[in-house]
Amino acid sequence: MKQLFLIPVILLLASGAIKAQFTTTGKIEYERKLNIYAQMAEMDNNEWFEKLKSQIPKFSSSFFDLIFDTARSLYKPGREVEGNSMLKMFGGGPAMENVVYSDFAASKVTATKKVYEQKFLVQDSLRKMDWMIKDEIRTIANYKCRKAVGRICDSVYVVAFYTEDIVVSGGPEMFGGLPGMILELAIPRLHTTWVADKVDLIVPKETDFVIPEKGKKTTQAELGETVRSSFKDWGKLAPRNVWWTVL
């Protein structure tokens, strides 16, 4: 009788319907896509863009890697996209050089960020967000993911899809705090998404978590205020610069 019971369980494991173990270490590649047309449409005077629109792709794509284990993660720029010079000029956008080290055990984050020509070294606590878990499910990079929504800067809506099969509460940039790894992130007001296209099951080395600690030391709140003050005369584009800075 016991043998008859084991047969369907073995078949389920072989078919992938049951995961034999959870993912605790690895490397995730995210594709970040920015809608250039939508971003440029928000500019006060975009006549010049309308003239060039036919020469510019609608989306700018760039890649970022997240290396992780259960104690920490490192998010950094990934592989280059060939022929992407035009995209960088018209929408590669800010946060292209962000490197973010998250120490889950100590609840601390260290990040290097370049805001135009100035470099900053952010040292702060891990971000805490009031996520709301939703019922929507989708499959991303072969992982079952559940939807969650939250906000940054009080009013900027964030949509995430996370998987409990990767037992690390992390994600791209400084996002995390969910019962698993974020594999898709969308910020509609920035017209930008981050989507994992693959997860490599590797065991990271100690050197994979090294971050260059260069730049003016600051906290997330202080950096946001610095950018807010610097771009106060930029009209409706000023808030977007702050949102990019505090990702």
Side-chain angles (χ1 to χ4, degrees), residues 67-100:
I67 300 170
F68 66 92
D69 58 25
T70 55
R72 57 204 168 164
S73 70
L74 186 80
Y75 170 86
K76 63 180 181 178
R79 60 187 172 94
E80 288 284 338
V81 179
E82 292 185 12
N84 209 21
S85 58
M86 181 68 75
L87 296 180
K88 289 181 179 179
M89 184 181 301
F90 289 101
M96 288 289 289
E97 299 180 28
N98 283 2
V99 180
V100 181

Side-chain angles (χ1 to χ4, degrees), residues 177-190:
L178 284 163
M181 181 66 74
I182 297 172
L183 294 186
E184 180 173 337
L185 186 78
I187 304 180
R189 292 176 75 177
L190 289 178

